[in-house]
């Protein structure tokens, strides 16, 4: 049932599925939500973090946020007062929801908000969907915070250097591939249908 709830929330997002609503409602409710939750649930069970009773994406995201908070607390932002910075995280689908985290910020009188989706490349199906949810939640605030969003960072030198550093560290531990004999370095990215590009994704 938890997989069914997740799939319903995710696949009901109009940014993710742009098929006409009545057609998609029938496909989603009569086929996908009947057939997919069982097999997908079993797949997720093989990678589930049983210690925390959560999926690996949540575990990794929490860890990233905790490490960023520790970096900020140690003065990692230079002359910025770390006591004025709150680092938190949310999931676009599931919990903790964007709305619940924004409500905590509102209770803390946060007056400036920097949103960094963990999608390096922008797509309407990913980053824009997250922004939509943030904007929807902020519509209910009487006193809205100043808002800054990071649209993409796939081409930022620091991000590229970080990826290169991870590859180099892996090679140092496991040996460098021999490209002369046909070894390959494969970079895998989340694919999107060509249609998203045709509709205006950069």
């Amino acid at each position: 049932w938890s997989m069914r709830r997740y799939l319903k929330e995710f696949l009901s997002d109009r940014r993710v599925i742009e098929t006409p609503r009545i057609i998609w409602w029938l496909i989603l409710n009569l086929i996908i939500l009947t057939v997919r939750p069982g097999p997908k649930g079993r797949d997720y069970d093989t990678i589930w973090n049983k210690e925390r009773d959560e999926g690996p994406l949540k575990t990794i995201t929490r860890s990233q946020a905790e490490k960023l908070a520790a970096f900020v607390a140690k003065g990692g932002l230079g002359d910025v007062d770390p006591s004025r910075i709150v680092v938190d995280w949310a999931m676009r689908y599931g919990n903790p929801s964007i709305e619940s985290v924004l409500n905590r910020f509102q209770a803390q009188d946060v007056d400036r908000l920097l949103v960094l989706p963990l999608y390096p490349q922008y797509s309407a199906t990913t980053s824009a969907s997250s922004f939509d949810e943030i904007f929807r939640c902020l519509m209910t605030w009487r006193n809205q915070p100043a808002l800054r969003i990071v649209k993409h960072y796939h081409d930022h030198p620091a991000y590229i250097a970080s990826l290169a550093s991870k590859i180099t560290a892996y090679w140092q531990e496991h040996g460098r591939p021999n490209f002369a004999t046909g070894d390959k370095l494969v970079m895998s990215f989340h694919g999107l249908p060509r249609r998203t590009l045709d509709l205006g994704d950069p």
Side-chain angles (χ1 to χ4, degrees), residues 95-127:
N95 292 306
S97 67
I98 289 173
E99 185 170 23
S100 69
V101 173
L102 287 176
N103 287 342
R104 279 203 303 270
F105 284 163
Q106 188 177 31
Q108 295 170 302
D109 294 323
V110 168
D111 65 349
R112 288 190 295 169
L113 188 60
L114 170 63
V115 177
L116 174 69
L118 296 182
Y119 312 107
Q121 296 90 353
Y122 173 88
S123 170
T125 61
T126 55
S127 301

